[in-house]
Amino acid sequence: MPVEPAVPAGLTEHQTAAWELAREFAQNEVAPHAREWNAAHRVPVEVFRRLGEIGLLGLTIPEEYGGPGLDATSLALVTEELARADAGTSVAVAVQNGLVASPILRAGNEEQKREWLPRLASGELFGCYALTEPDAGSDTASLRTRAEATGEGWRVTGNKMWITNGGIADVFVIFARTGDPGAKGISAMVSGPGDGLSVGAEIPKLGLHTSSTVELAFDAFPVPRSGLLGAEGEGLKLALATLDGGRITVAAQAVGIARAALELAVSYATDRQAFGGPIARFQGVHFPVAEIAAQIDAARLLTLHAAQLRDAGRPHGAAGAKAKLFASNVAVRAADVCVQTLGGYGYSAEYDAERYYRDAKITEIYEGTSQIQRMVIARDLFGGAAR
Amino acid sequence: MKIAVCVKEVPDAGPGRRMDPGTMRLDRSGERSLNSYDLNAVEEALRLKEAAGEGEVVLVSMGQEKALESIRKALAMGADRAVLISDEGAAGSDLVATSYVLAKALEREAPQLVLFGQSAQDSDGAVLWASVAERLKLPMVSQISELEVAGGQITAKRQTEFGYDRIQSPLPAVLAVADSLNEPRYPSLKGIMGAKKKPQDVVKLADLGVEADRAGQAGSRTTVSALNPPPSRGDTVKIEDDGTGAQKIMAFLVERKFA
């Protein structure tokens, strides 16, 4: 049964419209199929395209490039509602906006924006973000993928790991080393597919079975000069700035999973009969559920606060890190409470509890682990003294 | 082609729905939305317009002024403009009065097609379209599950209890579509954001030339004399399932000759 979430003051009419549309679409077109899709490990590309048709896939892409031109707050609200129905589906939208459209908007030139953004907004194209490598996750600056300069551009060689949307992608935002070792030698590029880029098989994983996750192998993959995104050597800066926004979206996803878990726990405990009545009579059921209900509201307000800071053009790196750190932990706990409330049924794949349990964990890992979030927060508090 | 779609705002279904014992009318406070059957009519109108590559889809409705909030959903889907007849004098209109007012508004618009949903979720009459067609002296086809418009006429497949009728009719015509005809689209975010800016005319009865005694309670031919809750079913049998529930239900049905 639906549980009304905490809503911050001052949501605009457009933000509310995006939220309502996402809720309606998610509840009618995603939630009823989520269990089946996940069990079959099916990436529902046709649903992602429909999200493009109604404007939710390229939510933050400006109107001049074919999107509805909404903001980070809207993206958080939409991601949360999609995650409440199916976490994997929400990832596709989060990546398209937060990791693909966002760096193109931030660093791309007019030609690049015109080339990629309208088709990313409509759902004609899907994009992915090729940053992480088998040996460079949290330690991004150590990435090894090399871009050798040629007369017309570069030839990129190296492997990229855990690439979300990689299996369905037509647009690749690539981070590769054009210069010396270290942070300053990395550049960002944007390209379509081509010879020299092979997409690996889907990587088996604990959850998010409706989301594509692959390894990409670049072997002398040619990228012309026109594919350079921003200035040469500025790639890592762009990557980290992009992740500042991405964290807020992951926090929103965590809130969505947590809300779904809470709602299932409440409806199950209300219906389930034991010892002569519903188990919702027992304090042993009340306390954990009440606790996560309070934490979910807190997580949601933290997340939307960070989004509102971003929309106001104010620093939001630490706020986003706090939101992600807290919300991802709430998601993991809420899923645990949900499974425990449902008991044996919670452990069975007949109910969604076990899916929430598996899907929640990734929010503590990707786009910066909880440990990295603590570092970001600490650096904000201690400044140079933290290093 | 100009297409008019008649739509209605209805209270959301749910346990909160009630009749007001004072006015003996449906309580229209609380959450409201566009009658969901009307969305099929809106969808069909949009498809016809898109297929033709030209035309206009006009929404026509009667109701309180706040009904515009619900009507905007159809504008967000893609309808071009809305005409809402909102007048104190129209409150309490029954079928006779409502069909008269709508017919007057439709005469002014002079569309080639008038589309209705199959019924309204609040009053569930499923006859308004027939009365409107009668007043406009236009052919009428109801319960349409397939529709084709070509060469100045329509060909419709009409769903009945016994099968299907295939009906041809010249234009203009009044059509009531079945909810099986199509799957209404989701409005796009841009559509929602642009809906407020589309023309929305709120008109009074006098603007349409409707005489005061032809609308509202004065223009109605039905009166509600009393309201009573449905009688309780005294002969209810409660079967506890101790493992033999299915057999007991079967025995109950056999005894009453249902099985």
Side-chain angles (χ1 to χ4, degrees), chain B residues 93-174:
Chain B
S93 292
D94 70 353
L95 175 71
V96 172
T98 305
S99 62
Y100 183 74
V101 175
L102 282 182
K104 281 291 203 183
L106 290 166
E107 264 169 22
R108 201 175 69 152
E109 291 292 338
Q112 273 107 332
L113 264 182
V114 179
L115 296 186
F116 278 84
Q118 63 186 34
S119 66
Q121 287 162 307
D122 53 355
S123 50
D124 244 333
V127 278
L128 182 65
W129 23 269
S131 337
V132 169
E134 177 63 24
R135 291 193 184 279
L136 295 172
K137 302 290 176 223
L138 290 180
M140 187 273 295
V141 186
S142 65
Q143 212 55 31
I144 296 174
S145 62
E146 273 179 39
L147 179 65
E148 211 187 287
V149 181
Q153 65 174 15
I154 64 125
T155 308
K157 195 169 152 187
R158 177 173 187 274
Q159 213 174 11
T160 77
E161 290 89 332
F162 313 104
Y164 293 95
D165 299 331
R166 191 161 286 279
I167 299 175
Q168 284 194 334
S169 159
L171 295 175
V174 177

Side-chain angles (χ1 to χ4, degrees), chain A residues 148-154 224-225:
Chain A
E148 302 286 347
T150 62
E152 310 85 66
W154 295 269
R225 273 224 82 82

Side-chain angles (χ1 to χ4, degrees), chain B:
Chain B
M1 182 162 62
K2 182 170 175 178
I3 306 170
V5 185
C6 293
V7 298
K8 183 183 190 184
E9 181 187 66
V10 296
D12 278 354
R17 232 166 100 170
R18 62 187 273 275
M19 302 295 288
D20 184 325
T23 60
M24 297 211 274
R25 293 178 196 151
L26 190 64
D27 180 0
R28 294 185 184 277
S29 60
E31 294 291 308
R32 305 163 332 267
S33 53
L34 205 63
N35 174 37
S36 74
Y37 293 127
D38 294 346
L39 299 179
N40 297 102
V42 173
E43 175 65 32
E44 199 60 20
L46 295 174
R47 287 186 192 188
L48 289 172
K49 178 187 156 177
E50 285 158 6
E54 54 86 37
E56 187 187 24
V57 175
V58 188
L59 307 166
V60 177
S61 184
M62 185 170 100
Q64 296 167 307
E65 199 159 336
K66 61 186 181 186
L68 280 178
E69 290 164 29
S70 299
I71 292 169
R72 268 185 214 125
K73 172 156 189 187
L75 291 173
M77 285 169 74
D80 298 291
R81 61 186 174 87
V83 177
L84 173 68
I85 308 135
S86 193
D87 195 312
E88 274 303 307
S93 292
D94 70 353
L95 175 71
V96 172
T98 305
S99 62
Y100 183 74
V101 175
L102 282 182
K104 281 291 203 183
L106 290 166
E107 264 169 22
R108 201 175 69 152
E109 291 292 338
Q112 273 107 332
L113 264 182
V114 179
L115 296 186
F116 278 84
Q118 63 186 34
S119 66
Q121 287 162 307
D122 53 355
S123 50
D124 244 333
V127 278
L128 182 65
W129 23 269
S131 337
V132 169
E134 177 63 24
R135 291 193 184 279
L136 295 172
K137 302 290 176 223
L138 290 180
M140 187 273 295
V141 186
S142 65
Q143 212 55 31
I144 296 174
S145 62
E146 273 179 39
L147 179 65
E148 211 187 287
V149 181
Q153 65 174 15
I154 64 125
T155 308
K157 195 169 152 187
R158 177 173 187 274
Q159 213 174 11
T160 77
E161 290 89 332
F162 313 104
Y164 293 95
D165 299 331
R166 191 161 286 279
I167 299 175
Q168 284 194 334
S169 159
L171 295 175
V174 177
L175 310 178
V177 308
D179 63 345
S180 59
L181 176 64
N182 56 39
E183 189 67 42
R185 70 193 62 188
Y186 282 84
S188 74
L189 209 43
K190 274 192 226 177
I192 296 170
M193 285 157 49
K196 253 189 148 169
K197 293 179 207 126
K198 289 185 172 175
Q200 294 153 62
D201 296 332
V202 179
V203 300
K204 298 284 172 198
L205 293 174
D207 300 330
L208 300 173
V210 173
E211 310 79 349
D213 63 350
R214 299 293 303 268
Q217 213 131 25
S220 295
R221 297 289 170 269
T222 49
T223 51
V224 181
S225 49
L227 285 177
N228 289 301
S232 70
R233 301 185 178 182
D235 54 350
T236 306
V237 176
K238 191 173 175 185
I239 295 172
E240 294 280 348
D241 186 15
D242 54 3
T244 62
Q247 286 97 310
K248 285 180 184 161
I249 291 170
M250 201 60 204
F252 177 88
L253 293 172
V254 168
E255 190 188 313
R256 282 159 184 76
K257 301 200 182 341
F258 285 119

Side-chain angles (χ1 to χ4, degrees), chain A residues 35-36 39 344-355 358:
Chain A
R35 200 179 309 157
E36 183 196 326
Y345 288 110
Y347 198 72
S348 105
E350 266 179 62
Y351 280 82
D352 292 323
E354 58 90 34
R355 172 161 62 90
R358 290 182 290 101

